[in-house]
């Protein structure tokens, strides 16, 4: 099935005509190999790019230049990403999204077809977001594209109501996607997401930065205020709410796994509680080792996760308090953690492991 251009900046009626004929003839879609895409781009250039050769007439502009430009941009990104990866982008310059040849060709097309830099940057943002969402590319190019669009957004008087609505829809889709990724950060970003000073941000950090940019964008803020009837909460409050809801859901998943085999007998309840303790501390240790640096500009992920986990754990243990002395001893240790908020000093995996050993020590000393 042909994958049509779906940019909100291209009206539905403009997705017909010459673009559909071109797509049908080329068979270009999101599964196409680089060689197929390259051939399609060459055909598109021959059909639409004005020729400088003497005696050769310029190709007529397409009836829907915005749609054709969007298609050509997506094709160039697909081709150039492999070339840039092989050559290696200049160190510390993640803004390299297209090769110089593609930049020159797209600039010539944009000028010939009367597309402003603002429109082209918005199309770039949408194309990069589509690639990130559907091809699982890094979020960093999306962040770079958004940074290019932002100077355009602060200028006034150029966006039509339709443009503003389209941009709001795009930012809303980006908002939802980023929230989902952040809520499942352990699964979405399984690799260590720590960066050295001066290096480009990692995938999780870039996603957090992108969400902050989206939530602080005035056009999107106005659309959300109009939709909800009140001003949105602060960005940090929204991020805290995302991680809190995710931690509560994660606790329930770990609890179900710990008590899957035997949650009825005294021994089964005690062993399940001890197993859940280890699982909770493993998660907190992972936050300290792999995700603390990425989150540190926004919130203390280790402290927040520990606080939610131990609050939920304490409530659960109180219901099991009569099960045995081990559970009672474990509850006392968890309540002590909640009272002292000891996790505030857990800035490394080693500190978390020491806290786990202290928490389990008195419970493990008690025999059945």
């Amino acid at each position: 099935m042909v994958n049509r251009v779906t940019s909100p900046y291209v009206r539905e009626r403009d997705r017909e005509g010459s673009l559909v004929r071109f797509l049908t003839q080329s068979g270009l879609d999101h599964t196409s190999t680089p060689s197929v895409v390259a051939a399609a781009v060459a055909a598109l250039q021959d059909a639409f790019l004005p020729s400088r050769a003497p005696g050769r007439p310029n190709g007529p502009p397409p009836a829907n230049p915005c749609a054709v430009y969007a298609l050509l941009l997506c094709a160039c990104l697909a081709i150039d990403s492999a070339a840039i990866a092989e050559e290696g982008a200049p160190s510390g310059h993640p803004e390299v999204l297209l090769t110089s040849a593609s930049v020159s060709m797209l600039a010539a097309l944009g000028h010939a077809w009367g597309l402003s830099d603002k429109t082209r940057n918005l199309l770039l943002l949408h194309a990069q977001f589509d690639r990130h969402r559907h091809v699982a590319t890094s979020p960093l190019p999306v962040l770079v594209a958004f940074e290019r669009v932002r100077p355009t957004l602060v200028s006034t008087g150029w966006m039509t109501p339709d443009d503003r609505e389209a941009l709001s829809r795009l930012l809303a889709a980006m908002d939802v996607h980023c929230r989902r990724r952040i809520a499942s950060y352990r699964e979405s970003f399984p690799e260590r997401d720590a960066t050295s000073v001066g290096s480009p941000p990692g995938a999780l950090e870039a996603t957090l930065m992108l969400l902050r940019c989206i939530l602080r964008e005035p056009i999107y803020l106005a659309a959300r205020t109009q939709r909800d009837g009140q001003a949105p909460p602060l960005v940090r409050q929204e991020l805290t709410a995302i991680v809190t809801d995710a931690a509560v859901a994660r606790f329930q998943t770990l609890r179900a796994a710990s008590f899957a085999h035997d949650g009825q007998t005294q021994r089964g309840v005690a062993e399940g509680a001890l197993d859940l303790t280890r699982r909770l501390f493993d998660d907190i240790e992972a936050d300290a080792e792999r995700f603390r640096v990425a989150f540190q500009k926004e919130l203390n992920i280790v402290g927040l996760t520990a606080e939610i986990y131990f609050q939920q754990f304490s409530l659960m243990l109180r219901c099991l308090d009569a099960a045995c002395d081990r559970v009672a001893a474990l509850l006392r240790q968890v309540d002590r953690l909640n009272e002292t908020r000891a996790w505030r000093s857990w800035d490394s995996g080693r500190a978390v492991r020491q806290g786990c050993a202290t928490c389990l020590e008195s419970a493990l000393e008690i025999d059945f």
Side-chain angles (χ1 to χ4, degrees), residues 1-30:
M1 180 179 178
V2 174
N3 182 32
R4 298 186 181 182
V5 176
T6 58
S7 169
Y9 298 98
V10 181
R11 296 179 184 277
E12 186 66 34
R13 63 174 180 269
D14 292 334
R15 296 175 191 153
E16 306 302 326
S18 59
L19 179 60
V20 171
R21 288 196 298 273
F22 170 79
L23 285 169
T24 303
Q25 294 168 4
S26 67
L28 184 67
D29 64 16
H30 65 286

Side-chain angles (χ1 to χ4, degrees), residues 2-325:
V2 174
N3 182 32
R4 298 186 181 182
V5 176
T6 58
S7 169
Y9 298 98
V10 181
R11 296 179 184 277
E12 186 66 34
R13 63 174 180 269
D14 292 334
R15 296 175 191 153
E16 306 302 326
S18 59
L19 179 60
V20 171
R21 288 196 298 273
F22 170 79
L23 285 169
T24 303
Q25 294 168 4
S26 67
L28 184 67
D29 64 16
H30 65 286
T31 64
S32 300
T33 62
S35 60
V36 172
V37 177
V41 171
L44 192 59
Q45 287 182 260
D46 290 341
F48 296 117
L49 188 62
S51 171
R52 296 183 181 179
R56 179 180 174 183
N58 291 341
N64 43 358
C66 201
V68 178
Y69 181 92
L71 173 66
L72 182 57
L73 173 61
C74 291
C76 287
L77 288 170
I79 297 171
D80 292 354
S81 61
I84 292 173
E86 290 179 1
E87 297 176 2
S91 178
H93 291 276
E95 68 274 10
V96 178
L97 305 177
L98 295 162
T99 61
S100 57
S102 293
V103 171
S104 299
M105 179 187 66
L106 291 168
L109 277 173
H111 177 74
W113 295 347
L115 301 179
S116 67
D117 290 343
K118 301 168 184 177
T119 299
R120 291 168 52 208
N121 281 334
L122 288 169
L123 289 170
L124 176 63
L125 174 61
H126 192 278
Q128 289 289 18
F129 174 60
D130 270 354
R131 279 180 53 77
H132 168 59
R133 182 170 50 175
H134 298 303
V135 191
T137 59
S138 167
L140 190 55
V142 187
L143 179 62
V144 172
F146 193 85
E147 290 294 339
R148 293 185 182 180
V149 170
R150 292 183 74 185
T152 300
L153 300 179
V154 298
S155 63
T156 58
W158 70 272
M159 294 190 76
T160 66
D162 287 345
D163 288 333
R164 294 176 67 90
E165 182 182 355
L167 177 60
S168 294
R169 288 199 304 269
L170 174 58
L171 294 179
M174 294 170 64
D175 180 8
V176 171
H177 178 77
C178 290
R179 287 172 186 267
R180 288 175 178 171
R181 298 270 292 175
I182 294 170
S184 60
Y185 63 91
R186 291 186 180 87
E187 296 77 23
S188 299
F189 310 97
E191 300 299 326
R192 182 183 177 93
D193 199 76
T195 57
S196 58
V197 177
S199 64
L204 175 55
E205 187 177 356
T207 302
L208 289 164
M209 294 169 63
L210 180 60
L211 181 60
R212 173 172 282 276
C213 291
I214 294 168
L215 295 179
R216 296 180 66 179
E217 169 50 44
I219 291 177
Y220 187 48
L221 274 173
R224 293 183 66 195
T225 301
Q226 182 178 9
R227 181 194 66 194
D228 301 334
Q230 60 182 3
L234 298 176
V235 175
R236 182 162 296 183
Q237 292 174 335
E238 296 208 55
L239 287 171
T240 300
I242 293 170
V243 176
T244 297
D245 291 344
V248 172
R250 175 72 173 173
F251 176 86
Q252 298 302 330
T253 299
L254 296 177
R255 176 182 178 176
S258 295
F259 291 92
H261 301 294
D262 183 6
Q264 303 299 323
T265 67
Q266 184 183 83
R267 177 179 292 274
V269 169
E271 290 181 349
L274 295 175
D275 180 70
L276 178 56
T277 304
R278 295 187 179 93
R279 290 175 185 266
L280 297 179
F281 274 96
D282 284 346
D283 262 21
I284 299 169
E285 181 182 354
D287 282 350
E289 293 285 1
R290 293 160 48 197
F291 305 114
R292 179 178 60 84
V293 174
F295 275 102
Q296 66 183 2
K297 293 181 181 179
E298 308 296 343
L299 48 85
N300 177 6
I301 187 63
V302 178
L304 181 58
T305 301
E307 182 177 6
I308 299 303
Y309 277 1
F310 292 139
Q311 286 176 354
Q312 296 292 314
F313 198 26
S314 178
L315 292 173
M316 188 203 78
L317 291 176
R318 291 185 190 284
C319 297
L320 303 175
D321 192 5
C324 66
D325 291 340

